Amino acid sequence: MLQRLQDSAFCMWVVGSDSLWAYPTILTLHTAGLAIIVGAAFVIDLRMLGVGAEVPLPLMRTVFRFFWAGFIINLASGVVLFAVDAVHKAKQPVFFVKLALIAAAIVVTARIRRRGFTPRDAAPSAAIRPLAIASLTLWAGAIVAGRLMAYL
Amino acid sequence: MFGFISWLEATGFSTTLRNTTWLWPTCESIHFLGLTMLIGAAGFFDLRLMGFMRRVPIAAAKAFMPYGIAGFALNLMTGTLFFVMRPSMYAFSAAWWAKVFFIVLAGFNAMLFETTLGARVLTLGPGENTPTSFKIVGCVSLLSWFAVLYFGRMLPYIGTGN
């Protein structure tokens, strides 16, 4: 089934085309999306850790919009990047490590969104700090795992 | 320039680094981490300069910038290592020169802001719109950094001469 996916007309175009709009652009979208997702998580986590304490929390919360926009870009581009190399990637342990790290990072980020922004006017409670550190660590791990997919 | 490039590539330093197992993937991983720090922190500040999130005091939005600059420092170091390891791959790539151009543009843009406009930052309270000059600086910065990312990622595909 993975082989048939990989051999589909669309996938053949993505990897076979000389056009910059095919594989290179999808790959670049995935990197731009990563910058938006983890960049957004980075400033939110810093805020939770006390950096930029003058930024009102409800406004900090709007940064999640960028987070989810980036996530949609990377889900879409990621599905294509998987499809064109499905047989190989389905056998790569580091790919599943990356997926697991992303899943864990999203759970932690969602928990920060729920707990880190109440009460509205006060500083985030100290209890949120371990979550922010976990988020930074998990997102960094996901990036490293993704990069190492080219080598492992 | 050709002489310098082939000299550098032949030095023991370049050769040793190039043949160090896992150095390249390690630098790549750090380069990706650095870019998220830079785009996260600079992007937040740039959006505020452009007039978004107006209720954020502009000086507060700037508080994340030291972390963005740290990300840039990581990328300057790892980027220099990439160049030392494979100088000819970069020096003869149009995409690499485009990337360098946008780094320099972003640098001058930031310097212009710091030296001429930056002082006005502190006089802007929460809720205040930003002057047009701030909007231009923020927009140039944000577009430049994404252009740097674009040409970096496109390095294997654009202007390699093959």
Side-chain angles (χ1 to χ4, degrees), chain B residues 126-149:
Chain B
E128 266 188 271
N129 196 1
T130 45
T132 307
S133 57
F134 280 33
K135 290 193 166 75
I136 294 170
V137 166
C139 191
V140 168
S141 170
L142 198 56
L143 291 178
S144 300
W145 290 123
F146 273 100
V148 170
L149 181 147

Side-chain angles (χ1 to χ4, degrees), chain B residues 74-139:
Chain B
L74 284 176
N75 280 20
L76 192 62
M77 285 188 279
T78 48
T80 304
L81 281 172
F82 290 136
F83 188 86
V84 169
M85 287 190 264
R86 301 201 177 281
S88 60
M89 183 171 92
Y90 294 112
F92 304 114
S93 155
W96 186 76
W97 286 102
K99 177 172 178 168
V100 170
F101 169 80
F102 281 107
I103 295 170
V104 172
L105 179 64
F108 273 117
N109 186 60
M111 216 160 21
L112 173 87
F113 180 77
E114 284 301 319
T115 52
T116 64
L117 306 167
R120 286 167 67 191
V121 160
L122 300 170
T123 66
L124 281 179
E128 266 188 271
N129 196 1
T130 45
T132 307
S133 57
F134 280 33
K135 290 193 166 75
I136 294 170
V137 166
C139 191

Side-chain angles (χ1 to χ4, degrees), chain A residues 28 31 43 54 59 147 151, chain B residues 24 28 35 40 55 60 153 157:
Chain A
T28 302
T31 309
V43 289
E54 309 296 313
L59 288 163
R147 194 74 293 266
Y151 300 95
Chain B
W24 190 277
E28 277 185 339
L35 88 84
R55 282 178 299 137
R153 186 64 275 205
Y157 308 106

Side-chain angles (χ1 to χ4, degrees), chain A residues 42-43 46-47 50-55 60, chain B residues 37 40-42 44-46 48 56-70 114 121-122:
Chain A
F42 182 60
V43 289
L46 285 178
R47 177 67 182 81
V51 178
E54 309 296 313
V55 179
M60 201 67 218
Chain B
M37 293 167 70
F44 187 75
F45 187 54
D46 290 341
R48 179 62 184 94
V56 176
I58 204 156
K62 215 180 167 188
F64 300 102
M65 277 313 289
Y67 297 86
I69 292 166
E114 284 301 319
V121 160
L122 300 170

